[in-house]
Amino acid sequence: MNHRQRIRTRARGRRSAAVATWTAGLGGAALATVFGATLAQQATADPGEPAPAAPPVTSSTSVVPPPQAPADAAAPPGIRPPAQPPVTGHRHHAVARSGGS
Amino acid sequence: MITAAEPLACTRFRALGTTAELVVTDPERLPAAADLLRSVLRAVDEACSRFRDDAEIAALHRHAGSPVRVGPLLAEALRVALRAAEVTGGLVDPTVGQAVCDLGYDRDFGLVARDLAGPVEPAGRVPGWWRITADWSRGEVVVPRGVRLDLGATAKAWAADRASTVVARELGCGVLVGLGGDLAVAGPAPARGWQVAVGDDHAAGTVRDPVIALAGGGLATSSTGCRIWRRAGRTVHHIVDPRTGDIPDSRWRTVTVAAATCADANTASTAAVVLGEQAPVWLAERGLPARLVAVDGDVVRVAGWPDQAEEASV
């Protein structure tokens, strides 16, 4: 590896670190999880190139569990169960409806 | 619907092409809460409506292939939609816009002809959410040429989350916001929780509809029995399978999901309709309490959804 190649290698490393740092700074794990791939893709893509033909591969920096996901959940990042499951209600006390629209 | 024992107040009105429902735990704050809700919904409509030429999202289509600067509201709506696509492996995809239009839903639903004669060939797999590129630091988004966005699977639910959070924060009371049957709650809940009836249609209930109580988060229902029309002799609806560009196989009539947010709940309920037979396992693996009603009326409950005997509550 000559001097010029070493400089390029260091620059690539700095760019990757900057993307990861910026992503984390946006608001933590969830945003990093969700947008890490998009940002990584954006950071490396030539604006003139056509859009990719397949989903991006999620980088290791983006595989962070969402803030409220239980530790033992098999859920992928982002799908968050409720803190408490719904319980039986009482018809006379219903205040709203959920249904198709 | 509210009993005298509950110190709650509610109102409802039309917005985003459906019914907006608002319930607060402090009746005196209802007018102010309604103003806040209307303000949030107006802003969301101006940013995200695919039926308005002057909506901000329309600029992404007009300038397809080029970076377009978007405001923070549309940026957040897009992030929510892209996140939904990623966490469902593309089962919920905002690039279904053209497929939905091809089925005939190309204008406000009130103006869609209920019996369209022209045949339509499903376009096949939709372009794919990963084709949307963004530089969020610059607020710039690129929608490739030929890609049409439809944020319908997430935008209403996200708007409910956003509005409920704003009302609770600004007015300091408990609040439930429902948009077309997709509900978000925030702030302190009533003593009995937020009691919600669940059925096929948010606007028309029956005495057999179960009632559940929510402590927080969101609840969403996706249905293949509402917002339907005829196209070339078959009944179609607004939920498209991104893998085929067509409506999914008819397994579920209605899927209701509880989650940490309404956007998550609606993402999961839409994905479940698309998944069909695999939906109960998919939901259970994610710990998402859900109630699925099959086309033949059979009910499946997963991940802690109250059982049938409990549904008989009065």
Side-chain angles (χ1 to χ4, degrees), chain B residues 106-114:
Chain B
D106 58 357
R107 60 202 70 193
D108 186 275
F109 190 69
L111 303 174
V112 172
R114 295 298 188 264

Side-chain angles (χ1 to χ4, degrees), chain A residues 20-57:
Chain A
T21 305
W22 184 85
T23 303
L26 268 179
L31 282 174
T33 301
V34 173
F35 301 113
T38 305
L39 287 164
Q41 174 187 333
Q42 183 70 25
T44 56
D46 178 345
E49 289 180 354
V57 176

Side-chain angles (χ1 to χ4, degrees), chain B residues 123-140:
Chain B
R125 181 180 286 272
V126 303
W129 61 276
W130 60 87
R131 293 179 184 274
I132 311 302
T133 55
D135 182 340
W136 301 115
S137 65
R138 297 167 61 92
E140 288 183 348

Side-chain angles (χ1 to χ4, degrees), chain A residues 22 34-35 41-42 52-56 77-82 86-101, chain B residues 1 3 79 83 86-87 130 133-134 180-181 192 195 197 199-202 205 207 209 211-213 221 227 260 264 287-288 310 313:
Chain A
W22 184 85
V34 173
F35 301 113
Q41 174 187 333
Q42 183 70 25
I79 297 269
R80 294 164 297 173
V87 298
T88 304
H90 300 276
R91 201 171 312 286
H92 297 313
H93 299 147
V95 297
R97 280 192 64 77
S98 182
S101 65
Chain B
M1 210 186 269
T3 67
R79 288 174 173 185
R83 172 178 175 270
E86 182 173 18
V87 300
W130 60 87
T133 55
R192 296 189 178 96
Q195 307 259 336
D200 288 336
D201 189 337
H202 81 283
V207 293
D209 290 340
V211 177
I212 60 161
T221 298
R227 215 168 281 249
D264 274 0
L288 296 166
E310 292 174 317
S313 63

Side-chain angles (χ1 to χ4, degrees), chain B residues 28-51:
Chain B
E28 288 187 359
R29 300 192 185 275
L30 183 63
D35 286 346
L36 286 170
L37 175 57
R38 288 179 194 277
S39 174
V40 169
L41 299 184
R42 189 164 44 245
V44 169
D45 193 51
E46 289 169 357
C48 302
S49 173
R50 68 184 178 99
F51 304 126

